[in-house]
Amino acid sequence: MTEQHVQKTTPSRQPVTVPGAEETINGVSYMRNANGDLRATELVKPQDKLQDQTVREIIGYALSLSAEVSRFKQHTFEDIGAFEAILAGQYGATVGGKKGNKTLMSYDGLFKVQVQVADLIDFGPELQVAKSLVDECLTEWAADARPEIRDIVTRAFNTDKAGQINRSEIFMLLRLEIEDERWLRAMQAIRDAIRVVGSKTYVRCYQRPALDAGWNAIQIDLAKA
């Protein structure tokens, strides 16, 4: 059987230098452990040294890649801003809607860049009024209430580990068609509770092999790449 050699490929970018765990004190090399204690390097297990080296190498490339993505984002906004400034100055034209959403397309229609502005939503004290009214409805309906409605209500008003309301489930409540007068008041209370506290801008890039093909997102998210 012929022995196969797998060539290890390394990223072309230069990694950020991550400080090592070794310290030299009075000419003796030590490594500091997770408890903050110094241990003579010669007493550290070889597998622990190898693991430390592997982690620091990966983190070095991760920091470099993170900085590169940050620069990409900054340059992307600068490039789009410059393009819009030229349009406004030379042609008196603008791109996108009132909220800042816009799509830029290559001339051949095979590449596009989308800028999406998403509102950051929070809820005011009216949400507690809505919860009280919804609880009244569920108590009175008792066994007649559909299980799926109870599940949505439970998920909507339960907070996660960070103490945040489940926003998507709250908005699902607004889509339920229930004519009970208290339910309608509860839904109005939810609408009154909605506060737009800011916005966040996202840039997404897409490509497709042909005009009749679907768009494929160019993944920059490590988990989706």
Side-chain angles (χ1 to χ4, degrees):
M1 179 179 295
T2 304
E3 183 180 359
Q4 294 182 337
H5 297 278
V6 178
Q7 182 178 2
K8 180 182 178 182
T9 59
T10 56
S12 59
R13 68 182 59 86
Q14 292 298 314
V16 172
T17 300
V18 179
E22 293 187 39
E23 300 180 28
T24 301
I25 301 176
N26 296 328
V28 180
S29 176
Y30 295 90
M31 292 182 69
R32 192 175 298 276
N33 63 22
N35 294 323
D37 301 324
L38 289 174
R39 185 174 177 80
T41 301
E42 63 181 9
L43 299 179
V44 177
K45 296 178 181 178
Q47 60 265 38
D48 290 338
K49 293 180 183 177
L50 180 60
Q51 183 174 179
D52 178 81
Q53 177 184 351
T54 301
V55 168
R56 291 176 192 279
E57 180 179 359
I58 293 173
I59 292 298
Y61 283 111
L63 291 172
S64 176
L65 180 59
S66 176
E68 189 172 334
V69 170
S70 296
R71 289 192 296 271
F72 164 75
K73 181 177 180 181
Q74 179 181 347
H75 290 317
T76 297
F77 286 128
E78 290 175 354
D79 291 344
I80 293 175
F83 166 70
E84 292 181 319
I86 292 174
L87 281 186
Q90 293 187 1
Y91 308 103
T94 58
V95 178
K98 295 180 179 179
K99 299 189 72 173
N101 298 319
K102 63 200 69 176
T103 298
L104 306 182
M105 189 85 68
S106 65
Y107 190 67
D108 60 6
L110 299 182
F111 303 94
K112 69 177 179 179
V113 176
Q114 285 187 336
V115 178
Q116 296 174 312
V117 182
D119 289 334
L120 301 179
I121 302 296
D122 202 354
F123 294 95
E126 296 89 346
L127 193 64
Q128 294 305 315
V129 175
K131 184 178 186 307
S132 298
L133 291 169
V134 168
D135 287 342
E136 284 184 26
C137 291
L138 292 180
T139 299
E140 183 172 312
W141 298 340
D144 294 332
R146 300 201 309 268
E148 60 268 27
I149 294 180
R150 289 186 177 277
D151 288 342
I152 294 174
V153 170
T154 299
R155 293 196 302 269
F157 291 106
N158 277 354
T159 56
D160 59 20
K161 292 181 179 180
Q164 299 296 315
I165 294 293
N166 191 324
R167 290 167 171 75
S168 61
E169 300 292 346
I170 288 287
F171 288 116
M172 281 192 66
L173 289 178
L174 295 174
R175 292 197 291 269
L176 295 176
E177 296 183 2
I178 299 176
E179 296 302 323
D180 186 289
E181 186 268 339
R182 282 167 303 178
W183 182 272
L184 295 177
R185 284 195 287 125
M187 297 306 100
Q188 186 57 52
I190 290 177
R191 293 185 182 94
D192 292 341
I194 295 173
R195 307 280 195 274
V196 178
V197 295
S199 63
K200 189 168 185 178
T201 303
Y202 300 88
V203 174
R204 294 181 173 90
C205 302
Y206 299 86
Q207 63 180 349
R208 58 183 176 183
L211 292 175
D212 58 353
W215 288 104
N216 296 312
I218 299 174
Q219 300 293 353
I220 300 175
D221 185 342
L222 184 65
K224 299 179 181 178

